[in-house]
Amino acid sequence: MEEIFYERLLYRILQGRLRLRLGDLVLYVYEPSKDLIEESFEIYDESYKKAYFGGVPIKDELIQILIENNLWSPLDDREADKIEKEIEELKVNAYKNFYDKRHLNTIKMNIQKLNESYVKCKSKKKSLDHTCCEGVANFSRNLWLISKTTFFTNNELYDWSDYTISSIMDKYNNEQITLQQFRKIARNDPWRSIWNAGKKQSNVFGRPSCELTKDQLSLSSFSSLYDNVYESYECPHDKVIEDDDCLDGWFIVQKRERDKTRKEKQVEALTNNSKIANSQEVFVMARNEDAAQEIYNLNNPIARNIIKQRNEQIRNSGNIKYTDLADIRQDIAIQSHQQAFNNIKGRGR
């Protein structure tokens, strides 16, 4: 049954339309053409102007309303960023614990809970978007597009005698294909075979890429992503590829390894001067804050911790000599101890 469901989604994507059965009535909602999309922006502009001069607030003005009514605050976005990082770490753990099924199931449940919290935090800022000029204009534009792309099965434009445009748009929105569904279609047959055969002909959907629907573009994007996975020198096990959380964890691990290699090369480029190659510390001038952050990121975790300790000591003490920094004093003490040990060892010979 699941195979039939996904095959049906695939052919919906290939056809570029959604088939809606409403009792005895069958309608096709097609993806809009380039001409319709271009024209729809005129509908947007007209609706925006009407809303603006009618006293409807613009999107930027909603921020104050959200804050005053305790609907959103910058803390929500910070919490969302924190949750996103936690999800990232959990996905890495999922990948590393793929064969420990009990542990993996616990990790995946935690990912699901955090995803729900993340969506809740991120959606707060958008909770009133439908009430602003942009939201009103976008709604009008989408209504117009649905009115121009909904047809009877005989290819005649629907006359809206039984259903309203907004009701069909709601049904259309509720039938949107999820990212998880795109990924499952992209990595399995029959699409995988179609994709591989189409690549040899450089024309999978039989039309130029600029004429592809958004669903066709999404499916192509995920198909290319899985191509990269299968072609990778360190391609994970097929079972890992089939698990979205674990594969995401693999992507994160690969990215971190690339970033580490890139930073090592940057450090090597900065220290290839023979005069500083063996220096314990190298200070690099930064042009601006962004450059300073990039230079800071070149430090390993131990060095970053030392920088943090030094900054705290400087804030607490004000002016301080370099030799009075805690880590420098510790290094001096270790060196003195080692020198004394070597002297004693030398006298014993």
Side-chain angles (χ1 to χ4, degrees):
M1 191 68 182
E2 185 182 43
E3 291 181 2
I4 293 296
F5 171 78
Y6 280 98
E7 192 168 353
R8 180 179 296 166
L9 284 183
L10 169 60
Y11 281 93
R12 166 186 160 183
I13 296 170
L14 293 173
Q15 291 286 74
R17 69 189 184 194
L18 170 64
R19 178 186 174 93
L20 287 178
R21 176 172 287 279
L22 307 167
D24 294 330
L25 177 66
V26 175
L27 296 175
Y28 290 141
V29 182
Y30 287 87
E31 292 295 322
S33 65
K34 291 186 295 182
D35 291 339
L36 282 177
I37 292 174
E38 180 186 24
E39 189 177 351
S40 72
F41 289 109
E42 294 180 9
I43 305 300
Y44 180 96
D45 291 341
E46 291 173 5
S47 180
Y48 185 97
K49 291 176 183 177
K50 184 177 180 181
Y52 181 79
F53 290 110
V56 176
I58 62 175
K59 190 171 182 177
D60 289 344
E61 294 172 340
L62 292 180
I63 298 297
Q64 192 61 34
I65 298 174
L66 290 167
I67 293 174
E68 290 175 353
N69 290 275
N70 295 319
L71 297 174
W72 172 86
S73 81
L75 294 177
D76 291 310
D77 283 356
R78 293 178 192 173
E79 180 64 18
D81 292 339
K82 178 184 174 183
I83 293 173
E84 188 174 27
K85 292 179 181 178
E86 291 176 0
I87 293 173
E88 183 176 287
E89 291 303 323
L90 282 174
K91 287 185 175 182
V92 170
N93 288 335
Y95 166 62
K96 292 180 176 179
N97 291 277
F98 177 76
Y99 294 102
D100 185 348
K101 296 305 179 184
R102 182 174 296 180
H103 190 195
L104 178 61
N105 288 336
T106 301
I107 293 172
K108 291 174 78 68
M109 284 191 292
N110 288 333
I111 290 174
Q112 183 177 352
K113 290 178 182 177
L114 285 176
N115 274 327
E116 292 171 358
S117 298
Y118 175 81
V119 171
K120 185 177 180 181
C121 287
K122 293 297 285 187
S123 63
K124 288 183 178 181
K125 196 173 184 178
K126 300 179 180 180
S127 60
L128 296 180
D129 279 5
H130 63 285
T131 66
C132 66
C133 291
E134 293 88 342
V136 171
N138 203 48
F139 181 76
S140 298
R141 173 176 177 256
N142 288 334
L143 278 180
W144 183 84
L145 284 170
I146 287 292
S147 73
K148 297 296 183 180
T149 55
T150 304
F151 289 80
F152 289 107
T153 54
N154 62 1
N155 291 327
E156 290 184 4
L157 199 63
Y158 183 53
D159 58 11
W160 306 106
S161 56
D162 297 317
Y163 294 91
T164 63
I165 301 176
S166 59
S167 66
I168 297 300
M169 187 170 72
D170 287 341
K171 292 181 182 297
Y172 174 80
N173 290 335
N174 290 334
E175 293 291 335
Q176 293 302 296
I177 301 173
T178 67
L179 294 179
Q180 290 76 17
Q181 290 169 343
F182 274 119
R183 293 179 70 162
K184 188 173 180 66
I185 294 170
R187 64 175 178 258
N188 289 298
D189 278 332
W191 169 250
R192 197 73 203 161
S193 296
I194 297 173
W195 171 255
N196 288 328
K199 284 191 299 180
K200 296 178 181 178
Q201 303 171 3
S202 302
N203 198 348
V204 179
F205 291 99
R207 61 176 70 93
S209 59
C210 63
E211 295 182 2
L212 298 183
T213 68
K214 67 180 191 305
D215 286 347
Q216 291 169 353
L217 287 171
S218 294
L219 183 55
S220 296
S221 177
F222 280 113
S223 300
S224 296
L225 179 143
Y226 283 105
D227 284 347
N228 293 333
V229 173
Y230 291 123
E231 294 167 5
S232 171
Y233 178 75
E234 299 178 356
C235 178
H237 191 278
D238 286 349
K239 293 296 183 181
V240 172
I241 296 175
E242 293 171 5
D243 188 303
D244 290 345
D245 291 330
C246 292
L247 184 60
D248 286 345
W250 180 81
F251 282 131
I252 295 167
V253 169
Q254 295 294 309
K255 181 180 182 302
R256 289 178 179 177
E257 290 178 354
R258 289 194 303 271
D259 289 344
K260 181 181 177 182
T261 301
R262 176 176 56 82
K263 288 179 181 179
E264 289 173 351
K265 289 182 179 179
Q266 287 177 315
V267 171
E268 183 179 348
L270 288 171
T271 60
N272 61 4
N273 188 325
S274 59
K275 294 181 179 180
I276 64 174
N278 297 318
S279 301
Q280 185 175 3
E281 295 181 3
V282 177
F283 292 88
V284 181
M285 294 295 294
R287 298 183 304 275
N288 49 49
E289 290 186 9
D290 291 338
Q293 185 62 45
E294 289 183 9
I295 294 170
Y296 173 79
N297 290 337
L298 295 177
N299 292 283
N300 59 36
I302 296 175
R304 291 183 194 178
N305 189 51
I306 291 174
I307 293 172
K308 181 180 178 182
Q309 290 176 348
R310 287 184 180 181
N311 288 337
E312 290 178 356
Q313 190 174 356
I314 292 170
R315 278 196 297 269
N316 295 331
S317 304
N319 293 331
I320 186 172
K321 292 181 179 180
Y322 178 75
T323 53
D324 289 335
L325 292 170
D327 64 286
I328 299 301
R329 291 174 65 89
Q330 184 179 17
D331 288 343
I332 293 173
I334 292 173
Q335 290 173 10
S336 298
H337 178 77
Q338 184 64 42
Q339 184 63 44
F341 176 79
N342 290 338
N343 290 340
I344 295 171
K345 186 177 180 181
R347 288 197 297 267
R349 290 179 180 176

